[in-house]
Amino acid sequence: MESFERARLDSYFARIAAQFVPAEQTASFLVTHLLPERPGFVRAVASLSRLRAVLPKPKSINPAARREIEQDIPVDSLSRELFADADTALDYFESRADGEPITLLDVGGYFAPALADVHGRFSGQLAGVIEDTENGHRRYESLDKLPCPVISVARSPLKDPEDFLVGQSVVFSTEAVMRGRGDILHGRPALVIGFGKLGSSIARLLHAKGVQVTVFDIDPIRRTQALSQGFAVARNCESALTGAGLVLCATGAISLRAEDFPHLRNGAYVATVTSSEDELELGGLPDVYTRTQVGDHVTRYQTTGHYFYLANGGNAVNFLHGASVGPFIFLVQAEILAAIRMLTRDDLSPGMHEVSAADRAAIAATWLSYFNR
């Protein structure tokens, strides 16, 4: 970022933080994509809470951003395994925030498996969780009983611009990866698995580029929405895979299981909008498939009579090119800051919650004053 852009961003976050000062501060743990512009947001979180550690998503760490943050705040390694085991998770939180009230800021439901144990056994108090993504929203929603408040910004209207632009970046990066091998989008039918906000954005952008698009979603309501927007809708995933030269997975859950891959058309490209562990069951592929790196960020999976290409190892393809969505990401980050104050008010019951419409409107007005010049 240019110095004047960084100054404007810091001023914006200072203004947002002043609007949502909590009555009392808790300790906090922040899971985040550590992209180049992220230090400004991290500093804002630290101004509203006692930020004990930043846990960057492993596949999206900018070295310069990490070095900047490490000057003031510990940066710890993040993995699903860290919070899959309750004892391991508890040891970690005790080591960083023994006896303190804590707020967990999540991207993708990392804290969900150990949530009940942390709530019941941690020496301090679990104030609650703030979740950023649809994938994580569903992970928390699927728990039998939430022991604490979970504030989700995943379905906020302030996230709509980000979702549209993420879809655009996914299409851009997928096309760039294919062109790097001398292939193009045109003439290659595409299958979009998942027709939520990201999947629908991807489908529309591919269609605008002249690509023949088929949609599959397990939700019949979303299938009717896709049909009403002019897309072909597959009755089942297996039949759709056989005709697709490009498969874009946008469910936030398992899109392709091990038994699905043999149905891919020879030479098909597979790309995802999130991590491989969330979208693809690659570990279940038979050992008869050999894996060969055939270009920058492209792996060829091949067995007798069958082969396909996987972009970026199955991780979010748009992170190959920075995944930038411009200043629109700062809308959702401001909403996360507003959610920190909500959790410190101590008036939320266990369960799923959203930031109020009034707070969202205030955030949008502030954002416009800084970024719509």
Side-chain angles (χ1 to χ4, degrees), residues 51-291:
L51 183 53
R52 294 305 185 218
V54 173
L55 296 138
K57 299 268 284 186
K59 305 297 182 180
S60 52
I61 301 176
N62 177 268
R66 177 171 188 147
R67 287 193 298 270
E68 182 177 346
I69 289 170
E70 283 178 326
Q71 294 177 13
D72 302 304
I73 301 162
V75 177
D76 293 333
S77 297
L78 175 67
S79 68
R80 291 285 179 194
E81 291 72 27
L82 177 59
F83 301 108
D85 177 75
D87 291 335
T88 304
L90 281 161
D91 286 346
Y92 173 72
F93 290 128
E94 296 289 1
S95 71
R96 288 291 189 199
D98 178 21
E100 296 186 78
I102 60 172
T103 296
L104 308 179
L105 287 75
D106 205 352
V107 178
Y110 279 87
F111 301 120
L115 194 65
D117 284 281
V118 172
H119 181 266
R121 296 166 54 194
F122 178 58
S123 63
Q125 176 192 358
L126 176 58
V129 179
I130 303 167
E131 172 56 49
D132 183 39
T133 66
E134 179 64 26
N135 179 25
H137 181 111
R138 290 202 294 260
R139 287 179 188 269
Y140 287 107
E141 201 172 43
S142 67
L143 296 178
D144 289 338
K145 184 179 180 181
L146 285 170
C148 64
V150 176
I151 302 175
S152 172
V153 302
R155 299 175 182 178
S156 167
L158 295 183
K159 201 174 176 70
D160 290 345
E162 176 192 348
D163 288 332
F164 173 77
L165 292 166
V166 167
Q168 194 171 55
S169 71
V170 166
V171 173
F172 171 87
S173 293
T174 301
E175 185 171 22
V177 166
M178 293 173 61
R179 284 184 177 275
R181 298 198 68 255
D183 288 326
I184 61 174
L185 287 174
H186 295 83
R188 185 180 286 269
L191 170 65
V192 177
I193 303 178
F195 199 71
K197 289 190 288 186
L198 277 181
S200 59
S201 172
I202 290 167
R204 288 193 293 270
L205 289 160
L206 286 171
H207 178 73
K209 286 179 170 286
V211 177
Q212 178 186 334
V213 180
T214 299
V215 169
F216 177 73
D217 196 298
I218 60 173
D219 185 342
I221 294 176
R222 287 182 174 173
R223 292 202 297 271
T224 62
Q225 291 170 340
L227 199 62
S228 73
Q229 294 177 33
F231 295 107
V233 175
R235 293 179 180 273
N236 58 72
C237 192
E238 179 181 328
S239 62
L241 289 172
T242 59
L246 169 64
V247 179
L248 280 158
C249 303
T251 66
I254 294 293
S255 294
L256 295 178
R257 300 195 177 277
E259 59 269 22
D260 294 322
F261 288 98
H263 297 293
L264 288 166
R265 192 173 92 174
N266 270 339
Y269 284 82
V270 177
T272 78
V273 304
T274 184
S275 62
S276 57
E277 63 188 13
D278 290 332
E279 290 277 358
L280 306 174
E281 201 176 63
L282 291 170
L285 270 173
D287 291 336
V288 293
Y289 276 91
T290 60
R291 297 150 175 83

